[in-house]
């Protein structure tokens, strides 16, 4: 039987995540009939490479979705809010990378390794979770299934790619300027990011946390179907290009040992176990960048919590934290078996 092919639109095709979506569709051999790269008016005429061809980027309009089966959105919340309903009305299923629909009760929030079954509940829109939440849950959820997580304390070390392509450009420009003894320019961040660490990701809320920090608890509850899950998180931007790293201290309802945790994590899909401190083996952002799988290490008993475990998990923010996860959701929609 001939497999069905899909007409795919990528909204924000010239951005860092959009470009990666196109690349991942090709590398994972997604059954694409026609690919439609869409972006704002200023990007019209640029070209995107796909399967040996250079496709012309077209302007995103209300008429862009005729005949489209699946629309991957990565162009910001305002664009998603305006155009996602238009796309669904035209018959497309939207997989949205912004935060616009994540906490909407009618919209599934999906990490395929965790809650792929929720895809079936969609009403035209499926939300891609926050990048830091995805990477953390890739290690936390298997442990939750085995031992029942109650709460976590987490500190994140987030790459500048989380701010888009301009975050990477700003870091590179600042490093070059400092190497030449020149003053740095700040456009993306309120302070110098080169050789620095900024405890400020997203906007601050009345409770003193940022929106990014609250996503770990709010999105974690929804993805894991765990309404009592608690997370206290501090998000820090560091001068790393792509991969996010998270230090997690987790408390479980059942007793947990390091040996048992390693056994569980070794079997977890989409996750590599790199945990041998005697040989200095642990996940590094530089090594995990541009890799599909996340990685976990530094696994040890938490000394401050009963039934506690501490670990370090790393994942590529642009891949599993965004583009790869979106394409994996598309694969679930298409009935493609996990790779």
């Amino acid at each position: 039987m001939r497999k069905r092919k899909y007409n795919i639109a990528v909204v924000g095709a010239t951005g860092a995540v959009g470009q990666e979506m196109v690349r991942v569709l090709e590398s994972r051999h997604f059954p694409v009939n026609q690919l439609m790269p869409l972006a704002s008016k200023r990007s019209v005429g640029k070209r995107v490479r796909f399967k040996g061809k250079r496709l012309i980027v077209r302007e995103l309009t209300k008429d862009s979705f005729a005949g489209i089966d699946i629309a991957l959105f990565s162009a910001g919340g305002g664009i998603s809010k305006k155009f996602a309903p238009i796309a669904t009305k035209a018959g497309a299923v939207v997989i949205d990378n912004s935060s616009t629909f994540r906490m909407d009760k009618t919209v599934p929030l999906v990490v395929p390794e965790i809650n792929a079954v929720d895809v079936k509940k969609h009403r035209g829109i499926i939300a891609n979770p926050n990048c830091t939440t995805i990477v953390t849950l890739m290690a936390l959820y298997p442990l939750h299934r085995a031992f029942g997580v109650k709460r976590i304390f987490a500190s994140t070390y987030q790459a500048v790619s989380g701010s888009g392509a301009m975050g990477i450009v700003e870091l590179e420009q600042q490093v070059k300027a400092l190497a030449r003894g020149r003053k740095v320019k700040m456009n993306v961040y309120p302070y110098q990011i080169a050789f620095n660490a900024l405890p400020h990701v997203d906007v601050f809320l009345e409770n003193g946390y940022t929106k990014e920090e609250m996503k770990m608890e709010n999105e974690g509850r929804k993805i894991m179907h765990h309404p009592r899950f608690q997370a206290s998180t501090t998000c820090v931007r560091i001068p790393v290009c792509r991969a996010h790293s998270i230090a997690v201290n987790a408390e479980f309802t059942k007793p947990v040992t390091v040996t048992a945790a390693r056994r569980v994590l070794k079997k977890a899909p989409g996750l590599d176990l790199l945990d041998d401190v005697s040989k200095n083996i642990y996940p590094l952002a530089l090594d995990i960048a541009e890799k599909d799988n996340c990685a976990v290490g530094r696994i040890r008993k938490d000394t401050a919590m009963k039934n506690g475990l501490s670990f370090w998990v790393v994942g590529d923010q642009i891949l599993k934290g965004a583009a790869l996860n979106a394409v994996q959701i598309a694969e679930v929609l298409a009935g493609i078996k996990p790779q």
Side-chain angles (χ1 to χ4, degrees):
M1 184 181 291
R2 196 174 181 183
K3 291 183 179 179
R4 179 186 171 184
K5 291 190 174 183
Y6 296 80
N7 293 330
I8 307 292
V10 177
V11 179
T14 58
V17 173
Q19 291 180 58
E20 201 72 13
M21 285 174 169
V22 173
R23 190 194 66 78
V24 172
L25 285 166
E26 179 173 351
S27 67
R28 292 176 73 85
H29 306 290
F30 191 88
V32 177
N33 177 52
Q34 181 182 6
L35 182 73
M36 178 76 70
L38 300 169
S40 63
K41 195 171 185 177
R42 67 176 179 272
S43 295
V44 171
K46 291 183 178 179
R47 293 178 183 269
V48 171
R49 289 188 176 274
F50 183 69
K51 291 187 175 180
K53 297 180 180 180
R54 299 182 70 204
L55 305 179
I56 298 174
V57 176
R58 302 185 186 183
E59 183 180 0
L60 173 65
T61 71
K62 62 182 179 61
D63 300 316
S64 295
F65 301 98
I68 295 297
D69 300 304
I70 300 172
L72 305 177
F73 273 65
S74 186
I79 295 297
S80 295
K81 188 174 182 179
K82 179 179 179 180
F83 286 97
I86 294 171
T88 59
K89 192 173 181 180
V93 178
V94 170
I95 300 171
D96 182 44
N97 195 54
S98 80
S99 61
T100 303
F101 303 104
R102 288 177 186 160
M103 300 315 298
D104 187 323
K105 292 181 180 179
T106 67
V107 175
L109 183 66
V110 176
V111 179
E113 292 89 346
I114 297 174
N115 62 330
V117 68
D118 288 354
V119 168
K120 297 178 182 178
K121 303 174 184 177
H122 81 82
R123 301 181 185 179
I125 300 174
I126 302 167
N128 215 27
N130 172 256
C131 50
T132 312
T133 303
I134 293 174
V135 174
T136 303
L137 294 189
M138 287 296 289
L140 182 64
Y141 181 71
L143 295 171
H144 167 57
R145 287 192 65 186
F147 310 109
V149 68
K150 291 173 60 178
R151 60 177 178 166
I152 68 169
F153 298 90
S155 295
T156 75
Y157 304 82
Q158 296 183 219
V160 292
S161 57
S163 303
M166 292 310 298
I168 298 174
V169 169
E170 181 152 312
L171 173 60
E172 291 174 344
Q173 289 179 341
Q174 288 184 359
V175 170
K176 289 177 182 177
L178 290 166
R180 294 166 182 167
R182 299 174 183 171
K183 288 185 177 181
V184 300
K185 295 180 180 179
M186 280 89 70
N187 296 305
V188 178
Y189 303 110
Y191 298 99
Q192 176 184 314
I193 185 60
F195 311 111
N196 205 1
L198 308 182
H200 179 182
V201 181
D202 213 328
V203 299
F204 286 101
L205 303 171
E206 289 185 3
N207 64 0
Y209 287 83
T210 65
K211 281 186 177 181
E212 182 84 359
E213 290 162 350
M214 293 307 301
K215 288 171 186 175
M216 186 78 79
E217 179 173 280
N218 296 332
E219 295 183 19
R221 288 176 173 179
K222 185 173 180 179
I223 295 163
M224 295 192 293
H225 297 263
H226 187 357
R228 292 195 294 267
F229 172 65
Q230 293 178 297
S232 179
T233 307
T234 300
C235 291
V236 183
R237 187 77 68 191
I238 62 170
V240 166
C241 280
R242 282 187 63 133
H244 286 355
S245 306
I246 304 97
V248 181
N249 303 79
E251 184 177 20
F252 300 92
T253 58
K254 299 176 184 178
V256 57
T257 66
V258 172
T259 300
R262 284 183 180 142
R263 192 180 304 122
V264 167
L265 293 169
K266 193 172 184 179
K267 297 178 181 177
L271 185 70
D272 295 329
L273 180 63
L274 302 176
D275 189 37
D276 187 349
V277 294
S278 69
K279 298 178 181 178
N280 292 335
I281 295 174
Y282 34 72
L284 298 173
L286 198 61
D287 294 339
I288 305 305
E290 299 187 13
K291 290 185 179 178
D292 288 353
N293 282 5
C294 297
V296 62
R298 292 297 318 279
I299 302 164
R300 58 207 187 276
K301 286 283 289 182
D302 191 285
T303 57
M305 288 190 288
K306 184 180 178 181
N307 299 332
L309 199 69
S310 299
F311 58 88
W312 173 258
V313 58
V314 182
D316 187 302
Q317 179 272 328
I318 300 177
L319 277 170
K320 185 55 187 172
L324 173 61
N325 198 75
V327 173
Q328 287 176 308
I329 293 172
E331 290 172 347
V332 175
L333 279 171
I336 299 171
K337 290 182 179 180
Q339 297 184 24

